[in-house]
Amino acid sequence: MKVHVDLYVNLKKYAPANASSFEIRLESGATVKTVLEVLKIPANEKAIVLVNGRNADESNPLTEKDTITLYSPISGG
Amino acid sequence: MTGWMGKILRVNLSNGKINQETLDPQVARDFVGGRGLAIYYMLKEVDPNCDALGNENKLIMTAGPLTGTKAPTGGRYMVTTKSPLTGAITCSNSGGNFPAELKKSGFDAIIVEGRAADPVYLWINDGTAELKPAGHLWGKDTHETDDAIRAQTDNKAKTAVIGPAGEKRVLFASIMNDRDRAAGRAGVGAVMGAKKLKGVAVRGTQKVSMANEERFNEMNQKYRGRFKEVKKAGPYPLTTHGTAITVVATQAHGVFPTRNFQTGQFEEWEAIYGEALTEKYLIKAKPCFSCPIACGRITKVPDGPYQGQGEGPEYETVYSLGSDVGVGDLAALTKANYLCNELGLDTISMGSAIACAMELYEKGHLSESDIGFPLKWGDGEALVKLTRQTGMREGFGDILAEGSLRMATRYGHPELAMVSKGLDLPGYDPRGTQGLGLNYATSPIGASHMRGDLPYCELLGVPVKIDGLTWADKPPIVVKWQNVFSLIDAAGLCVFFSIRYLCDPTLEIRPEGIMDLLNAATGADYALDELEKIGDRILNAERLFLLRAGFDRRQDSLPERFTTTPMPDGPAKGVVCHLDEMLEQYYQIRGWSQDGLPTEEKLNDLGLAGM
């Protein structure tokens, strides 16, 4: 399946070809954790995870055309 | 006393008398300082039903015991008064260097009373104070005023001044300190203007003494160390890009207020968020006193019709003068921000009033002949023009100067003003940040994001990430956070550092670091429970002022847009803010009746029964 990934703030450095908004292909049954592994985002890199703009975590299963958003914690606005 | 300077400066503008009073140690212990000390004096001395712009209202500037110390972000002060915009209590917080200088000049607080016959400014120099004529400064903008006052007093003095907006009593005029830092909300600048007080200048060389300096230094290193550890792991977003980086989170959640909160995603967000600002206009980051973060932005628009230099924009301004008015031109919104700083206007209420006017215009309730020109979403030129007109009360700006609620009411559609208790909402749609919706409705000053800021956990992942769309779990968190935020504001610290590094990293946010620093500075030997109770006391004291000013549960409200109209699209599509359901539980936890009144038992417990 194909999913869309948006990486922001400090997570941008894990983007392939330096494009922070991109699509990737995953096997069916993939979860957010699969995306983190494919992009080689280390476990100690703190990331807020959203799937289609909603709260999610690593175990969140993914389906075709989902958008996964990952960004660093921000302490103030 | 240590931590506290032990002195209050009382200035009566009507008769020119200036007195120094001793700070009562028990009051200091019970209310700490800053926001706490200010509400103590407001309750004791100001009639909640007075005319906010009349002689009876007082303007109170308060530092906290950690202001002016080496504590991380120990550089904040609070301006408290009855608001001319809302009729409620207001307290507006600011950083920069003025607050620390105030403390070093020997005072914990300034209480300004009455009204001068002719414009004056207050000059405080290391323990002495005098009023000086300011007729020659009347009409000058905030930067010109800062330059002139420092030239006449001491070039090293720090100032807090008003611009033309405050003089002309624009109901959301700000007080600008250190040129570009704002005590912005709910018209504190209009109160200062009504008193004909153009500015306060301070110079101080005194040291804030410590009860246990060694322990204080040790605690300072410990908590700064927490920040350093995080910073070591990678660039710190607030340092690199300023608070406008927050757009990433609000846009992704679909709560980035767009076109007067008609939707929560702005199609041009990438043109105005923190990274765009860094790339295009950032000159350098600027810290407030004793701050390791440095979220302030010194920027320059180098050329074009919006050429200029100054500070900002920060997140709230990117929302209010950007997405909320549909403006994706970063130069135009930055220029409007500079104008707000120079004229002395709250950027949130300025943008919100223009957004409201744009929706009134879109829906045909306001015509081109009312305004003098067409007013369409996204018109950067109109944004800049109306900002200038508002600060000067010229043309349609004279109507905008009354704030969005009065304007929308004038044109028959108060429901289009995005306010709670008359104060414009900051940049988070409460349909996707349910806890913040409860914050907005119950904040003593009206819609504020700085009175228990739930977006930290609902959007930003600090200290942990929770779901912004759920509501049943929010009331207990809101109560805890409101109490701790009151304490942060009383201590003289900045929320940005305190919430992440001076509190335990759970939703309980127990203020352990604040306790350690306060105890080393003051020797007060506060217990953690006692400090949390002080936060509760401050909130309830502010509630008492509100109730006496005629507010009750009916004003703990949000515009219908949020409680009855589901979000039309984006991740929060179909959701409304469940305010009524949350309020019921909130009042119970607070120990208030279902009418929103603190019970006698509650007031007794907090030591507020006699006040």
Side-chain angles (χ1 to χ4, degrees), chain B residues 83-96:
Chain B
S83 162
L85 182 70
T86 66
I89 184 89
T90 191
C91 38
S92 197
N93 192 280
S94 183

Side-chain angles (χ1 to χ4, degrees), chain A residues 8-10 12-13 20 45-46 48-50 52-55 69-77, chain B residues 235-238 246 248-249 252-253 269 275 316 428 456 459-462 465-467 469 500 571:
Chain A
Y8 296 119
V9 201
N10 293 350
K12 277 169 96 167
K13 64 186 175 206
S20 59
E45 180 75 77
K46 285 197 172 168
I48 308 305
V49 182
L50 305 180
N52 302 326
R54 302 252 174 156
N55 233 31
T69 307
L70 300 166
Y71 58 91
S72 324
I74 302 164
S75 51
Chain B
Y236 201 70
L238 284 190
T246 302
V248 163
H253 284 81
W269 71 275
E275 290 192 26
E316 297 303 334
Y428 315 86
Y456 276 96
L459 304 176
L460 306 176
V462 174
K465 179 74 170 72
I466 62 172
D467 191 345
L469 295 170
R500 193 164 177 186

Side-chain angles (χ1 to χ4, degrees), chain B residues 450-519:
Chain B
M450 301 307 286
R451 299 293 179 280
D453 196 352
L454 267 274
Y456 276 96
C457 52
E458 290 184 312
L459 304 176
L460 306 176
V462 174
V464 293
K465 179 74 170 72
I466 62 172
D467 191 345
L469 295 170
T470 60
W471 54 270
D473 55 328
K474 298 297 162 57
I477 304 173
V478 166
V479 170
K480 270 195 196 100
W481 282 48
Q482 285 179 332
N483 292 349
V484 173
F485 274 58
S486 302
L487 179 69
I488 294 168
D489 288 342
L493 297 169
C494 176
V495 165
F496 290 0
F497 188 94
S498 306
I499 208 71
R500 193 164 177 186
Y501 305 106
L502 296 179
C503 296
D504 83 303
T506 70
L507 290 174
E508 298 287 316
I509 54 165
R510 302 210 78 190
E512 292 153 355
I514 300 174
M515 177 182 73
D516 287 338
L517 290 163
L518 273 178
N519 283 341

Side-chain angles (χ1 to χ4, degrees), chain B residues 172-322:
Chain B
F172 49 89
S174 58
I175 297 173
M176 303 299 299
N177 63 278
D178 302 284
R179 300 171 80 89
D180 292 306
R181 305 300 308 183
R185 304 238 60 199
V188 292
V191 174
M192 194 152 149
K195 294 189 175 305
K196 295 215 170 166
L197 179 65
K198 181 66 175 168
V200 178
V202 287
R203 177 76 183 114
T205 57
Q206 300 175 35
K207 190 171 178 290
V208 181
S209 57
M210 295 284 118
N212 184 339
E213 186 124 24
E214 200 181 320
R215 168 84 177 162
F216 185 85
N217 289 337
E218 190 190 319
M219 290 300 106
N220 192 19
Q221 290 312 311
K222 174 182 169 181
Y223 293 108
R224 280 179 185 263
R226 287 187 178 178
F227 170 74
K228 281 182 191 160
E229 278 302 308
V230 172
K231 206 166 176 178
K232 231 190 267 174
Y236 201 70
L238 284 190
T239 308
T240 314
H241 299 300
T243 60
I245 194 67
T246 302
V247 175
V248 163
T250 49
Q251 173 76 12
H253 284 81
V255 298
F256 188 37
T258 299
R259 291 182 280 279
N260 205 31
F261 286 85
Q262 292 189 80
T263 182
Q265 288 189 313
F266 183 45
E267 57 283 359
E268 295 179 76
W269 71 275
E270 283 176 294
I272 60 173
Y273 86 125
E275 290 192 26
L277 183 68
T278 304
E279 278 166 27
K280 291 182 86 169
Y281 303 137
L282 181 69
I283 295 174
K284 63 175 179 179
K286 185 182 176 188
C288 295
F289 180 85
S290 199
C291 173
I293 299 175
C295 71
R297 306 285 95 179
I298 295 180
T299 55
K300 183 179 183 178
V301 179
D303 45 37
Y306 305 121
Q307 191 178 13
Q309 188 166 341
E311 276 188 49
E314 48 91 48
Y315 172 74
E316 297 303 334
T317 307
V318 163
Y319 131 72
S320 61
L321 301 172

Side-chain angles (χ1 to χ4, degrees), chain A residues 3-30:
Chain A
V3 298
H4 189 89
V5 180
D6 287 326
L7 301 178
Y8 296 119
V9 201
N10 293 350
L11 277 299
K12 277 169 96 167
K13 64 186 175 206
Y14 300 104
N18 225 12
S20 59
S21 184
F22 53 91
E23 287 187 344
I24 53 172
R25 277 187 184 282
L26 301 169
E27 298 293 320
S28 65

